[in-house]
Amino acid sequence: SNELISREDETDILKIPDDPMRIGRALINHRGPRETFPHISLADAYDNNLDEKTRDLLKDAVILLGMTAIGINDMRPNPFDTTTDGVEVHAATLDNIVSQDLLQRPKSIYVIELLIVLFIGLLFSPLMIASHALVSALLTAGSMVGYYYFDQYYWFHNGIWAYMGVPFIEITLLFVSTTLFKYFSEEYEKRKVKGAF
């Protein structure tokens, strides 16, 4: 009836956040490597050949049917494993939707990532040029470790996915380029002084 439709409980509606820059793409929060979700043989279930523990596991469970044999070629990589069954990707997605903890990339993260890249370039370039190679190496390693833990505890644990590769590559390239620049500059100065004598 119309009354039942108008009184529908909206809390039962599950929302799926997507990447605002790529409409329709959900970011899966993978749970672990292959067989993180239990695998049960369909043949055993059909033949009623399941032990009590497995029967208890199936109570009030969502069951996905999928092929898990090695030769089927339905293997997919995830952050934990290079060969995960395709059905487990579906299980992780469904689990994310039910748990409402899909990873997200809010619009603000794009601006923050750009600012981080600019900040690294403006701060690290003069610091690495002015400091000794050992200090530059410690600065590089320390900043990478610090950024990793910042991402883990501030963004990732709050369900926000941020690119870590770009700042890491930038810091590494700055370290390598400034170290090479200082090395060749010093070599040039040494040759210049040697030539003057």
Side-chain angles (χ1 to χ4, degrees), residues 21-37:
M21 302 301 278
R22 295 186 181 181
I23 297 169
R25 183 182 78 163
L27 299 170
I28 303 168
N29 189 358
H30 291 277
R31 301 306 188 198
R34 190 170 189 265
E35 295 193 31
T36 296
F37 295 95

Side-chain angles (χ1 to χ4, degrees), residues 1-122:
S1 69
N2 289 336
E3 185 181 353
L4 286 174
I5 292 169
S6 64
R7 294 172 70 183
E8 182 182 358
D9 187 3
E10 290 187 7
T11 59
D12 292 339
I13 298 171
L14 296 174
K15 296 179 181 178
I16 304 173
D18 64 346
D19 184 344
M21 302 301 278
R22 295 186 181 181
I23 297 169
R25 183 182 78 163
L27 299 170
I28 303 168
N29 189 358
H30 291 277
R31 301 306 188 198
R34 190 170 189 265
E35 295 193 31
T36 296
F37 295 95
H39 288 203
I40 297 165
S41 168
L42 180 61
D44 288 344
Y46 184 78
D47 293 337
N48 201 19
N49 188 22
L50 299 175
D51 58 27
E52 197 62 36
K53 184 180 176 183
T54 306
R55 289 176 190 277
D56 291 340
L57 190 66
L58 291 173
K59 286 178 183 176
D60 301 320
V62 175
I63 300 171
L64 300 179
L65 295 178
M67 297 174 286
T68 58
I70 299 295
I72 300 296
N73 291 329
D74 187 26
M75 306 303 281
R76 303 284 181 263
N78 79 13
F80 299 95
D81 201 334
T82 55
T83 54
T84 308
D85 298 309
V87 70
E88 285 208 49
V89 176
H90 300 159
T93 306
L94 184 60
D95 184 57
N96 283 190
I97 293 167
V98 171
S99 304
Q100 288 288 280
D101 67 345
L102 280 154
L103 294 175
Q104 299 180 49
R105 278 185 63 76
K107 288 182 180 178
S108 61
I109 199 70
Y110 293 93
V111 177
I112 292 168
E113 286 171 341
L114 179 62
L115 291 173
I116 287 170
V117 168
L118 291 172
F119 175 77
I120 288 169
L122 293 172

Side-chain angles (χ1 to χ4, degrees), residues 183-195:
Y183 173 77
F184 286 115
S185 297
E186 287 172 10
E187 284 296 312
Y188 174 74
E189 288 297 323
K190 284 177 185 176
R191 284 197 302 270
K192 192 176 175 183
V193 170
K194 192 176 179 181

